């Protein structure tokens, strides 16, 4: 007796299409990078050895851990990872402190003003990131717009050394990734039931107590999502540290670029990439765990 095969429903197709997309454009490239990280350096095209060879009907598998051993034994790479995480954390904290009041003000504005404010948040995305960062070069240089303005107002006597420092990188990172924090937080705050805030005021709660006990817990999913959208790309940022940072501003994006293109050491660069991906899986896992717990509590 032949049993009929079940046909996938439209809902199952809708679920599987994003998974196939992620597998094709995320998992497969990562597996290729992982394969390169386990190969050895050679002079040629490609500049790495194959990890599997077939000779005399014998399949030989050679996994080289040179890149990973160097990562955990060379203090330079450890300093680069720590500095990247530190700069990403500081950028995330600055975006939270600046973006939360902005998102709250946008969510509480009248609808016609709200659309204009949202347009102001989204408008920088209409211009290339490279052009926007290059504009900050003209602002932060010693003879740039900021120093000329401060000296013209008589606030300083000599130019401030901001360009090619970590401070300039922080300014560029916060400027570039602040909308990524505001938009998901705004989407959460705009759906907040205003009757809860009014009830807290009627019960005698002060504004700070209302924010801490009502607004902040309800807006936490949007704030955490925005913080992840800021932290994760900031760790591996390349353009902003390269254009605004100095020679001592080492981040993982610049290290990977140097290993890939300057040193032509693809296995080492691939190893740096794989460890960075594993490092970023930690905050993603924590985010998923916190989201699952909040969903259970809401039930």
């Amino acid at each position: 007796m032949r049993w009929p095969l079940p046909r996938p429903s439209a809902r199952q197709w809708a679920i599987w299409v994003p998974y196939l997309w992620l597998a094709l454009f995320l998992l497969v490239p990562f597996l290729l990078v992982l394969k390169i990280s386990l190969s050895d350096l050679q002079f040629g095209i490609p500049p790495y050895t194959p990890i599997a060879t077939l000779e005399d009907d014998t399949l030989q598998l050679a996994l080289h851990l040179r890149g990973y051993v160097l990562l955990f034994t060379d203090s330079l790479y450890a300093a680069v990872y720590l500095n990247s995480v530190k700069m990403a954390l500081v950028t995330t904290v600055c975006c939270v402190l600046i973006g939360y009041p902005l998102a709250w003000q946008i969510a509480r504005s009248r609808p016609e003003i709200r659309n204009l404010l949202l347009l102001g948040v989204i408008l920088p995305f209409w211009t290339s990131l490279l052009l926007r960062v290059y504009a900050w070069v003209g602002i932060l240089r010693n003879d740039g717009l900021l120093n000329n303005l401060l000296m013209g107002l008589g606030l300083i006597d000599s130019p401030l050394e901001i360009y090619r420092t970590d401070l300039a990188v922080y300014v560029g990172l916060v400027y570039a990734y602040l909308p990524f924090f505001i938009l998901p937080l705004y989407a959460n705050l705009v759906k907040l039931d205003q009757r809860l805030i009014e009830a807290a005021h009627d019960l005698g709660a002060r504004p700070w107590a209302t924010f801490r006990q009502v607004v902040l817990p309800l807006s936490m999913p949007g704030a955490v999502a925005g913080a992840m959208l800021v932290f994760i790309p900031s760790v591996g940022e390349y353009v902003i540290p390269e254009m605004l940072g100095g020679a001592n501003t080492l981040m993982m994006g610049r290290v990977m670029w140097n290993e890939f293109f300057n040193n032509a050491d693809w296995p080492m660069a691939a190893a740096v990439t794989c460890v960075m991906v594993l490092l970023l899986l930690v905050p993603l896992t924590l985010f998923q765990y916190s989201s699952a717990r909040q969903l259970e509590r809401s039930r």
Side-chain angles (χ1 to χ4, degrees):
M1 184 176 180
R2 182 175 299 176
W3 296 93
L5 296 176
R7 295 183 177 180
S9 62
R11 181 179 180 182
Q12 291 174 335
W13 279 114
I15 294 175
W16 277 105
V17 167
Y19 281 105
L20 291 175
W21 179 273
L22 290 175
L24 182 61
F25 293 101
L26 182 63
L27 181 60
V28 172
F30 176 74
L31 292 178
L32 292 176
V33 174
L34 180 62
K35 179 184 76 71
I36 296 174
S37 70
L38 296 175
S39 61
D40 195 14
L41 178 65
Q42 72 171 4
F43 294 99
I45 301 177
Y48 56 88
T49 60
I51 62 174
T53 56
L54 182 62
E55 296 181 0
D56 299 330
D57 299 331
T58 302
L59 181 63
Q60 298 180 354
L61 186 63
L63 302 180
H64 300 271
L65 302 178
R66 178 186 63 88
Y68 294 100
V69 172
L70 188 59
L71 277 178
F72 292 101
T73 55
D74 193 340
S75 59
L76 174 63
Y77 293 102
V80 168
Y81 279 106
L82 291 177
N83 188 62
S84 299
V85 173
K86 181 199 73 173
M87 299 193 76
L89 283 175
V90 173
T91 301
T92 304
V93 171
C94 293
C95 287
V96 170
L97 296 177
I98 300 173
Y100 205 109
L102 290 175
W104 174 254
Q105 185 61 37
I106 295 173
R108 295 294 300 272
S109 300
R110 299 196 306 271
E112 58 273 11
I113 300 179
R114 184 188 307 163
N115 294 332
L116 292 176
L117 295 176
L118 279 176
L119 181 63
V121 174
I122 302 172
L123 196 61
F125 290 109
W126 296 5
T127 308
S128 171
L129 175 64
L130 185 63
L131 295 178
R132 287 184 279 140
V133 176
Y134 192 75
W136 277 105
V137 174
I139 295 173
L140 300 177
R141 287 171 55 181
N142 292 350
D143 56 347
L145 179 63
L146 179 61
N147 280 311
N148 288 333
L149 178 62
L150 295 177
M151 293 178 67
L153 295 175
L155 299 178
I156 57 175
D157 297 328
S158 60
L160 298 175
E161 296 290 340
I162 301 177
Y163 182 54
R164 293 299 181 184
T165 63
D166 288 351
L167 179 59
V169 178
Y170 285 128
V171 171
L173 289 174
V174 172
Y175 165 77
Y177 292 108
L178 184 60
F180 292 94
F181 178 80
I182 293 177
L183 293 177
L185 181 59
Y186 159 79
N188 187 275
L189 290 174
V190 76
K191 296 183 296 184
L192 187 65
D193 193 350
Q194 298 298 322
R195 293 175 298 179
L196 298 175
I197 301 176
E198 295 174 359
H201 289 316
D202 293 339
L203 293 173
R206 295 181 178 274
W208 171 247
T210 302
F211 170 77
R212 183 169 51 87
Q213 299 179 7
V214 178
V215 177
L216 185 60
L218 294 177
S219 63
M220 190 57 68
V224 174
M228 291 296 102
L229 290 176
V230 173
F231 176 80
I232 292 173
S234 297
V235 173
E237 179 61 46
Y238 167 74
V239 174
I240 297 174
E242 180 68 21
M243 297 185 66
L244 298 179
N248 296 326
T249 307
L250 294 179
M251 295 186 68
M252 282 185 279
R254 298 182 71 179
V255 171
M256 284 187 287
W257 174 274
N258 292 332
E259 295 292 350
F260 264 117
F261 297 100
N262 295 342
N263 302 334
D265 193 347
W266 287 28
M268 188 65 216
V272 174
T273 305
C274 292
V275 173
M276 184 187 71
V277 171
L278 294 177
L279 182 66
L280 294 179
L281 285 177
V282 175
L284 285 176
T285 304
L286 294 177
F287 173 65
Q288 292 291 338
Y289 176 74
S290 63
S291 300
R293 291 199 60 180
Q294 289 178 0
L295 183 60
E296 293 177 358
R297 291 175 182 176
S298 63
R299 292 178 181 176

